[in-house]
Amino acid sequence: MTKIKESSTYNANREIVLQECPVTYVMNKIGGHWKPIILYHLLSGSKRYSEIKRAMPHISEKMLIQHLKQLENDNLLTREAKPVVPPYVTYTLTESGKELDSVIKAMSMWAFKDMKRNRVEEPVC
Amino acid sequence: MTKIKESSTYNANREIVLQECPVTYVMNKIGGHWKPIILYHLLSGSKRYSEIKRAMPHISEKMLIQHLKQLENDNLLTREAKPVVPPYVTYTLTESGKELDSVIKAMSMWAFKDMKRNRVEEPVC
DNA sequence: CATGATACATACTTTGGGGTAAGTACTTGT
DNA sequence: ACAAGTACTTACCCCAAAGTATGTATCATG
């Protein structure tokens, strides 16, 4: 987990904007390339670590746990580890996390519309 | 405008994911810290360059035009320049851009709910 | 006895997004 | 004559996000 320097101008700006815009508030929680996709996969139900990994073949393990931890810190999902060997860890969306489905759905609907408009072939997701 | 190297693993991964996930498709068009905020301000109607600038005091001019150009390339807004001095340039959302309000609204609604839940003071936006 | 599965952790490097600062062209106002 | 406004452009630098690679603990199974 890369640590974040608090003293940069970037972060100063971000904090100011955070106080001013709900959209930025959301982007700070689900922004980036991987977080929305993780959420997307968890919206269909709780999943084991390895299940998520298999569902997203192109993410590195480092990125996956890193974002899972961030999402956990942001109260979007919970982690449950059964003390067995081999380890059995499941990730489940919280209420906050589940309510994001309206956002994810709005995004998906817009995406499909826009792909059609720009004649991009539709994906299988 | 910083050029993007096409040959990186990052971009390879991104292109693969792009073909698989509508959410990533959206994130590539409106992701980052500034684009959603620009869109947010244009949703209330066409604006001059200087108006957008004044509405977003914390963005640098470089970032502003850079993102305006990217949004234009992505067909989310159009640029109209009147050939007068001093220059008079207006930015207007396209149909695609306007339709993003469902996404922006879903985000805002979730944000306010989540802020309440986490007892963050509500912003004035 | 060694391989594989599971769920990570850690070190090291790259890169591209963003910041800062300065310049440009043209005209209007004082 | 000089500053100010408008809409950019350009150059240079920094750092945080992402990638690559390897290590760890535990047990089951061949």
Side-chain angles (χ1 to χ4, degrees):
Chain A
M1 280 236 286
T2 338
K3 287 224 174 105
I4 295 165
K5 235 191 200 171
E6 301 284 348
S7 59
S8 65
T9 320
Y10 176 76
N11 278 294
N13 277 344
R14 186 166 63 171
E15 277 195 30
I16 292 163
V17 169
L18 252 178
Q19 293 167 5
E20 284 170 3
C21 191
V23 176
T24 308
Y25 179 88
V26 177
M27 297 306 281
N28 272 278
K29 300 220 163 189
I30 67 163
H33 287 295
W34 301 115
K35 280 183 191 168
I37 307 177
I38 295 174
L39 293 168
Y40 177 84
H41 286 298
L42 284 176
L43 276 172
S44 55
S46 302
K47 294 227 159 40
R48 288 186 66 176
Y49 174 81
S50 52
E51 285 184 283
I52 306 174
K53 218 182 92 177
R54 266 191 296 275
M56 303 172 62
H58 306 297
I59 193 174
S60 68
E61 295 193 51
K62 178 193 153 195
M63 283 295 104
L64 183 52
I65 32 132
Q66 185 177 307
H67 287 128
L68 284 171
K69 297 221 159 161
Q70 287 174 15
L71 291 168
E72 198 191 352
N73 281 332
D74 285 338
N75 297 314
L76 298 183
L77 54 81
T78 54
R79 199 191 93 113
E80 277 175 288
K82 286 183 190 166
V84 294
V85 158
Y88 195 98
V89 180
T90 47
Y91 291 92
T92 312
L93 292 183
T94 61
E95 267 309 300
S96 277
K98 277 178 200 159
E99 283 165 16
L100 273 170
D101 73 337
S102 58
V103 177
I104 306 274
K105 266 180 196 152
M107 283 191 192
S108 301
M109 284 174 57
W110 184 87
F112 285 119
K113 229 180 177 180
D114 198 63
M115 284 176 197
K116 256 190 191 162
R117 197 165 10 218
N118 300 351
R119 283 174 203 95
V120 178
E121 71 270 32
E122 281 193 33
V124 200
C125 190
Chain B
M1 280 235 285
T2 338
K3 288 230 174 98
I4 296 164
K5 236 190 201 172
E6 302 284 349
S7 58
S8 65
T9 319
Y10 176 76
N11 278 294
N13 277 345
R14 186 164 64 170
E15 277 194 31
I16 292 162
V17 169
L18 252 176
Q19 292 168 4
E20 283 170 5
C21 190
V23 177
T24 308
Y25 181 87
V26 177
M27 297 306 282
N28 272 280
K29 300 220 163 187
I30 67 163
H33 287 293
W34 300 117
K35 279 184 190 168
I37 308 179
I38 295 173
L39 293 169
Y40 177 84
H41 286 298
L42 284 177
L43 276 173
S44 54
S46 302
K47 295 228 161 35
R48 289 186 65 177
Y49 173 81
S50 51
E51 286 184 282
I52 305 174
K53 217 182 92 178
R54 266 190 296 275
M56 304 173 61
H58 305 298
I59 193 175
S60 66
E61 296 193 52
K62 177 192 153 196
M63 283 295 105
L64 183 50
I65 33 132
Q66 185 177 307
H67 287 128
L68 284 170
K69 297 221 160 161
Q70 286 175 14
L71 292 168
E72 198 191 351
N73 281 332
D74 285 338
N75 297 317
L76 298 183
L77 53 80
T78 53
R79 198 189 92 113
E80 277 174 288
K82 287 183 190 167
V84 294
V85 159
Y88 195 99
V89 180
T90 48
Y91 290 93
T92 311
L93 292 183
T94 60
E95 267 310 299
S96 277
K98 278 179 200 159
E99 283 165 15
L100 273 171
D101 72 338
S102 59
V103 177
I104 307 273
K105 266 179 197 153
M107 282 192 192
S108 301
M109 284 174 58
W110 183 88
F112 285 118
K113 231 181 176 178
D114 198 62
M115 285 177 197
K116 259 191 189 161
R117 195 165 13 218
N118 300 351
R119 287 175 200 95
V120 179
E121 70 270 34
E122 282 193 31
V124 200
C125 189

